[in-house]
Amino acid sequence: GVIVDLLNLNERQLTLEQATDRLIVFLRQPARNQGLRLIPGAQAQTLISDEPGLRSVLVGKPCRPEETCSSEVVWLMTRFYYQNLFYMVFVAPEEEFTKYQPIFEQITRSTRLLDGSDAGPVDLANAARAGHDDARRDVRKDSGVHNARNRF
């Protein structure tokens, strides 16, 4: 699955790594995600919409300790977008991740962030077509900040 969204950063003096760490803490909040852990040495600089970004790889089991489920790989892509952290979360079962990785890479390469004068902040149409035919797009305004969420 894929989630694309913005995280409002109240502190503007954060580095990309610090902002990404805050997002990881946020993503771990639901009880089902507490086992999500960052793979040591698996953060790398990248480009997202021609701007510096960070790719982080996490692994976890999306279930409670008493439940049985398989591990998932979470590929987290982040970059600054105005005073926000733009992020894409790509999730696939660990044993199938190599099958989905080229799709996730194509979505990342085709994602374009637009300036504030455009109708919406994120052009997900090409990314959605590249990754999945029946992708749904839900773009809404929230307190003057555009939030884009795309689930596959």
Side-chain angles (χ1 to χ4, degrees), residues 14-148:
L14 296 175
T15 66
L16 182 57
E17 290 80 7
Q18 291 169 328
T20 299
D21 288 344
R22 283 202 175 179
L23 174 61
I24 291 169
V25 168
F26 174 77
L27 293 174
R28 285 182 179 147
Q29 284 180 357
R32 299 176 89 78
N33 292 334
Q34 289 179 355
L36 197 61
R37 66 187 188 288
L38 181 65
I39 301 297
Q43 282 190 316
Q45 299 296 319
T46 190
L47 290 177
I48 301 172
S49 191
D50 300 323
E51 293 291 331
L54 186 64
R55 182 188 66 223
S56 305
V57 181
L58 301 98
V59 176
K61 291 187 176 189
C63 58
R64 294 181 185 90
E66 66 274 6
E67 298 174 338
T68 303
C69 60
S70 61
S71 291
E72 292 182 334
V73 174
V74 177
W75 213 36
L76 177 63
M77 307 292 284
T78 56
R79 68 155 271 203
F80 287 120
Y81 185 65
Y82 295 95
Q83 285 79 37
N84 300 290
L85 184 68
F86 171 80
Y87 67 93
M88 297 182 284
V89 180
F90 301 97
V91 181
E94 189 171 18
E95 63 275 0
E96 297 178 31
F97 185 78
T98 55
K99 181 172 83 173
Y100 291 101
Q101 186 174 353
I103 296 166
F104 297 161
E105 289 171 349
Q106 179 61 35
I107 292 170
T108 301
R109 280 192 304 273
S110 61
T111 298
R112 297 289 172 255
L113 299 177
L114 308 174
D115 67 30
S117 64
D118 295 299
V122 183
D123 177 5
L124 294 176
N126 288 328
R129 278 194 292 283
H132 201 281
D133 291 335
D134 63 352
R136 291 172 291 179
R137 184 174 179 200
D138 172 25
V139 178
R140 63 184 177 6
K141 289 184 179 179
D142 183 20
S143 303
V145 175
H146 297 278
N147 287 328

